[in-house]
Structure formats: C-alpha cells, structure tokens
Amino acid sequence: MSTTHAVPVIEPHKERAGIDASADERLAFERLLVDLSSQFANLAGEQIEREIERALSRIREFLGFDRGTFGIFLEDGSINVLSSSAIAGVDPQPLGKLPLELSWYHRKMLAGEMVVIQSLPNDLPAEAIAEAAYVRSINLQSHASIPLRVNGRLFGMIAFAAFRETRRWPVDLIARIRLIGEIIAQAYERKHADENLRAALAEVKSLKDRLEQENAYLRHVVQEKLPHGLTSRSPRFQAVIEEVGQVAGTNTTVLLLGETGSGKEVLAQAIHDASGRKDRSMVKVNCAALPAALIESELFGREKGAFTGALARQAGRFEIADGSTIFLDEIGELPLELQPKLLRVLQQGEFERLGSARTIRVDVRIIAATNRDLAQAVREGRFREDLFYRLDVFPIELPPLRERAEDIPLLSWTFVREFSNAMGKQIEKISAESMSTLIAYSWPGNIRELRNVIERAMILAQGPVLHVKLGHKPVQLDPGKAMDGTLDQAERAHIVRALERSGWRIRGANGAAEQLGIKPTTLESRMKKLGIVQAR
C-alpha cells in the first residue's frame, strides 16, 4: 500500500451511527469544494503543483487526517507521487514512484478499484503480504486510496491516512474525497496539456527557425542545375565516378583533391545526391572566401552580443546542415586556431556557438576539398596532423581537365545546352576549328575556365554554329624555370601574369579571376597569401 494510505475521518463528536456529519460540517465542506474549484480554474500551469500541496493540506486539516497524498499513474504501471502533506510528527509520503513491491495495492489502483481499510493491518487480505509489512513498519492505522479519472481515463489517485487512531469511511465521505481528487486531477491534467502544447509550439518554432535559417542560406546560394549523374569518356575520371558510387551510400568523410576548377563542388554534390541525406540541401562553405575574423561564427554560429556587431543570434552552417551534408571547400585555408573545433565536430558531432557554453549536437556528413598538399601543410605546421587524418579517410583525386581531354567535347555541349536554355539561342553545331582549339588548350582554370569560355562564345553567337575563341593565348611556363622555383612561386607568377593582362582588374569580363577560372574572392585570398600587390 503506500504512504498514500488515507484516513479521512469526521471528528468523533460529529459522527453518528450511519450519518456522515452535521449540516454545518457539510456546508463548510461544500464551501471548501467551491473555493478549491474556482482557485484551480484560474491558476497558471506553473502554479498548479504548488497549489496542489496547499489544497491537500487544507483538505487534510478540515477532515482531520494525518497525511494526504496525490499521485498519477505512469505508462510503466507504476504510481508517481507528486504531492504529499502531513501533520507534525508524521513524514509526508516521499515523492516519486511508490515501491513496486506493494503489488496488491498497485493492482487494485490500476484496475480502478478503491482501497479503503479502517483497521490496519488486520483488515488486509491474505495476499497483501508486502503491504502488511509496510503498514507495520510505519505504524499506519487507517487508509483510503481512491483512483481518479479524467475524461473517462484512469489518471491518478488521491489518498488519506491516519497514524494516531483508526477511522471510519462513510460512503458520503468517500464520494466527497473523490470529488476533491478529480478537481485536483483535472487541474494537473490541464497543466500537463499546457506543457505538451508549449513543447509542441517550441518544436514548431524550432523547426520554423531551422527552415528560415536554411532558406536564408539557400537565398545566398547560386541557383544551379544539380547533377543527376556523372558521365565521362575518360578512363581516369571513370575511375573517380566508380569511387563516388562506392562511398556515396555511407556516412564516411570524403576528401576531394584536385586543381582549382576541376569540378570538386560538382562531385561533392553528386556524392550528396546519391546518399541517404539527399532529401535535404547540401550546405556549402568556401573556407578561403570567409574573413578569418568571421569564419568561426559562420561555421558554428553565434549568440547575440558575442562580439561587436553581433546584433542577433545566428545559427552556423553546421547547425543548418544537421541531418544533411556540409561541403567545406578550400579546407586547407581554415585558420589553424579553428581546426581543433572542426576536429571535435568530426570526432564527437558537437560544438558550441560563439559566445555560448551550451553544447550543440549535430549529425552532419563532411565532404572537404582542397587544391593544396595537406600532407605538406602538416609538415610545415600549417595544418593539424590529427585533423588531416580525420579528413583523409576516403580521398578522391580529380584529374585536371588537360588529363581528360576526351571529356572536353562532352563538357562543351553540356555548357552549350545550359546557356542555350538560359539565352534562348539554338546551337546545332560547334565548329570543327573551335573544337580542335578547345581540345588543344591546356586549361589552367580547368572546367570552370571552359564554362566561362563557352558562356562568352554563347553571348557572341549569332547563328546555329558556335565559334569559340579563347580570350588569351595559353600561358606556357618554361619547364626549366618552373622546376627551379617553389609551387607558391610558380602560382605567384601565374597570377601576376593574369593580373597584368587584365590591367590588374580582378572582377568582370576578361578580369584576372575569369582568366584563371576561379572566383574573385578566391583570387583575392590567394593574392593576400602570396603577398601580391600592384606596384605604384
């Protein structure tokens, strides 16, 4: 049985044989019921538990009981005590689950049957062995537990107990206790419903915020036709496609290696589209395009006031990518001080927003890309060794376009069809001379440069035959000189030549970025890294 054993008793001088109480007593009790009912009707949800304890105390004192208890039934078949009130010298029923050893008592309650006993333990049935031992241990004399229903469903129980003397349980008294209990139970159910509603609204708001964050991100993403499949006539790139098919269906981290413009982002999209995460958009981040001071808040988010200018809380790209894939382009440019934070996401799937101590857990697949030799960067101390090995689980090396010349006609026609639809021009043929020129060119800017060349030709096209002219002659480095310098020196010279041809103009048609087949922000980042400035 439990400390929820109750003994509502009318004071002895007010008891008569077969009669519950005096008219004055009844009237006072009715007033108490009305008062409690109106009080609970106007309570806010967060105040209900405190008022239940106060109500139990008032009822217990009015009816002369030693202890009153209120509990609810849980789905696992246990009874959870939420509130208990007792006189001085009697311990309240401990809050929480009642001992399951009191199996007879639990069966009665969960069957919706009252447990009303005047003399304990004498009036207990023989099978209530644990209950008999229990009431002896706490010197319980009389007890009544009444199951309560809310909307026709068993919800909980209310119990009163006497420890100083045995008490009688007239039918009228039991009915009134049940009525009090149902008032309390309905108030608690309303609180529970309010909590569920608030939780549901919070979840809706969370989902709404997440959708808004995704939409805000997607508004800044260039709209492009996603690759539904990869095709190639090049044996080297066909081997790459085979590797993509092997890894796409897993959650393994992928590291894409290749020159600028060789199609790493397209390949990352193809991996995502063939994965189980394809129903959500892949989130893309260019680590070289973000200022070092802002990259942490962009990746991991920030709280309002985290730094000067942080006027509102902002979710980071990893939060937005939860349940999806994040593509970290130019991972070799990630500042060394942020690399441990990325390593933690890779290892444990958790991080904190900038300015917050609350840990956020995410389920994100990472596809990283670089045109750098990360192993060399590790040896030079510019990239963490542990992060490198975490990223280098499944490396895929993309061949440059000059090593897959078989694909140049296929790619050229892919771009012609793309721009034909956008520009409303019908191209039936690419001139043989133009195709020969395209195949012969070394394409230092790779596929991105090819696309730019085709776009320019489409703008100038005036008939069904496309004539393609390269905007500049291929840059041929002296092999002997190239071998004498470092890779950075060769890249520096290549960028400077492109800048000189464009009159040091980075953006726009035939600007240095277009000539090199890279994004202007990437070119600016490389110029800063290599210390390239225009002489005055």
Side-chain angles (χ1 to χ4, degrees):
M1 261 171 2
S2 79
T3 354
T4 65
H5 303 200
V7 132
V9 169
I10 300 172
E11 296 178 21
H13 68 278
K14 293 183 179 179
E15 287 186 339
R16 306 183 200 132
I19 300 177
D20 295 342
S22 68
D24 289 343
E25 184 79 11
R26 289 187 180 186
L27 182 58
F29 191 79
E30 297 296 340
R31 287 172 179 166
L32 175 62
L33 284 179
V34 172
D35 184 40
L36 291 175
S37 182
S38 61
Q39 184 176 4
F40 279 113
N42 298 318
L43 276 180
E46 61 272 13
Q47 300 174 308
I48 286 176
E49 285 193 22
R50 183 177 66 252
E51 290 303 321
I52 287 175
E53 185 171 351
R54 291 177 58 185
L56 280 175
S57 295
R58 290 179 64 186
I59 298 163
R60 175 185 54 75
E61 292 170 1
F62 184 89
L63 297 175
F65 300 146
D66 297 333
R67 182 168 67 197
T69 303
F70 172 74
I72 60 172
F73 299 152
L74 302 181
E75 291 182 359
D76 62 2
S78 61
I79 300 173
N80 187 37
V81 174
L82 298 177
S83 184
S84 185
S85 169
I87 63 172
V90 174
D91 292 332
Q93 173 69 40
L95 303 185
K97 291 185 179 182
L98 291 178
L100 290 175
E101 293 78 9
L102 305 175
S103 56
W104 175 80
Y105 176 76
H106 277 83
R107 284 198 304 272
K108 289 288 187 181
M109 287 291 97
L110 296 174
E113 299 178 18
M114 294 187 297
V115 175
V116 179
I117 302 177
Q118 181 172 335
S119 179
L120 288 169
N122 301 331
D123 294 345
L124 283 170
E127 66 265 31
I129 299 172
E131 286 77 7
Y134 176 73
V135 298
R136 287 191 187 98
S137 70
I138 61 173
N139 197 32
L140 185 61
Q141 301 296 312
S142 293
H143 173 86
S145 282
I146 302 172
L148 306 171
R149 294 180 181 271
V150 174
N151 298 325
R153 177 177 60 89
L154 274 174
F155 181 81
M157 63 84 189
I158 189 168
F160 290 97
F163 289 82
R164 296 171 293 178
E165 58 184 337
T166 61
R167 297 298 181 93
R168 292 177 57 243
W169 302 98
V171 175
D172 186 57
L173 179 60
I174 294 297
R176 293 182 180 190
I177 292 174
R178 186 192 298 277
L179 183 56
I180 291 171
E182 288 178 350
I183 290 173
I184 294 174
Q186 288 169 1
Y188 188 82
E189 168 66 7
R190 179 163 53 83
K191 170 185 179 292
H192 186 62
D194 288 347
E195 288 175 347
N196 287 342
L197 178 60
R198 283 197 295 272
L201 291 174
E203 184 176 0
V204 169
K205 184 179 184 301
S206 174
L207 291 171
K208 180 174 177 289
D209 290 345
R210 180 170 173 173
L211 284 172
E212 287 178 352
Q213 291 159 7
E214 289 182 358
N215 289 337
Y217 164 73
L218 292 172
R219 279 195 295 270
H220 291 85
V221 174
V222 176
Q223 296 301 310
E224 58 187 20
K225 185 177 181 180
L226 303 181
H228 294 291
L230 298 172
T231 57
S232 175
R233 296 170 183 164
S234 162
R236 283 199 62 187
F237 199 73
Q238 286 172 356
V240 169
I241 295 173
E242 185 176 348
E243 290 181 317
V244 167
Q246 292 169 340
V247 77
T250 72
N251 286 322
T252 301
T253 299
V254 178
L255 179 62
L256 303 178
L257 306 168
E259 295 179 5
T260 296
S262 57
K264 297 187 290 294
E265 183 175 323
V266 173
L267 202 67
Q269 187 70 59
I271 294 172
H272 173 74
D273 289 347
S275 75
R277 300 167 182 262
K278 62 184 178 181
D279 292 334
R280 299 200 58 228
S281 299
M282 182 177 78
V283 175
K284 306 170 188 178
V285 181
N286 188 321
C287 298
L290 294 171
L294 296 179
I295 190 167
E296 181 175 8
S297 66
E298 285 293 322
L299 287 176
F300 305 108
R302 65 168 187 254
E303 295 292 334
K304 181 179 180 180
F307 53 84
T308 303
L311 303 179
R313 187 175 72 175
Q314 175 181 301
R317 301 293 177 87
F318 273 100
E319 270 185 87
I320 295 171
D322 188 20
S324 185
T325 304
I326 191 168
F327 174 55
L328 301 177
D329 199 6
E330 310 234 27
I331 190 67
E333 310 305 321
L334 188 69
L336 195 61
E337 61 270 17
L338 283 185
Q339 292 177 21
K341 201 161 184 178
L342 175 59
L343 178 63
R344 185 178 169 209
V345 177
L346 276 164
Q347 290 177 330
Q348 302 170 17
E350 61 183 32
F351 60 92
E352 288 81 34
R353 283 186 185 140
L354 193 63
S356 171
R358 184 175 71 86
T359 298
I360 296 172
R361 298 184 184 277
V362 293
D363 171 25
V364 177
R365 182 188 193 170
I366 294 178
I367 300 176
T370 182
N371 59 3
R372 293 291 174 195
D373 184 346
L374 290 186
Q376 179 65 29
V378 169
R379 290 190 290 272
E380 294 173 357
R382 294 184 288 109
F383 203 85
R384 289 180 62 105
E385 184 176 21
D386 48 5
L387 178 58
F388 170 66
Y389 287 120
R390 275 285 178 176
L391 292 170
D392 198 38
V393 177
F394 197 92
I396 298 178
E397 187 170 355
L398 281 73
L401 186 55
R402 62 182 173 274
E403 295 180 11
R404 45 182 293 211
E406 305 95 324
D407 285 339
I408 289 176
L410 181 66
L411 291 168
S412 298
W413 274 109
T414 298
F415 296 137
V416 167
R417 283 192 292 270
E418 176 189 342
F419 294 120
S420 291
N421 293 332
M423 299 178 185
K425 294 183 177 182
Q426 296 299 318
I427 300 296
E428 298 174 1
K429 179 181 177 182
I430 300 176
S431 72
E433 181 185 357
S434 296
M435 187 60 74
S436 297
T437 301
L438 293 174
I439 293 173
Y441 184 49
S442 62
W443 298 108
N446 289 291
I447 298 172
R448 186 178 298 133
E449 185 181 5
L450 173 61
R451 185 179 185 277
N452 292 342
V453 167
I454 297 297
E455 183 179 14
R456 181 175 185 274
M458 288 293 297
I459 293 171
L460 299 174
Q462 295 181 351
V465 179
L466 186 67
H467 298 277
V468 181
K469 292 183 180 180
L470 297 175
H472 52 82
K473 292 182 179 180
V475 178
Q476 301 291 343
L477 297 178
D478 185 331
K481 291 181 180 180
M483 292 297 291
D484 292 339
T486 66
L487 179 62
D488 280 353
Q489 288 171 338
E491 182 184 13
R492 190 179 194 281
H494 188 45
I495 291 174
V496 168
R497 282 193 289 273
L499 288 166
E500 289 174 345
R501 286 194 301 271
S502 67
W504 286 82
R505 185 167 50 82
I506 293 174
R507 290 173 168 78
N510 211 28
E514 182 182 278
Q515 291 183 39
L516 294 169
I518 60 177
K519 298 175 183 177
T521 52
T522 302
L523 176 56
E524 289 168 344
S525 173
R526 302 309 303 153
M527 289 173 62
K528 182 177 180 181
K529 183 176 180 61
L530 297 170
I532 299 173
V533 294
Q534 184 177 8
R536 298 293 182 185

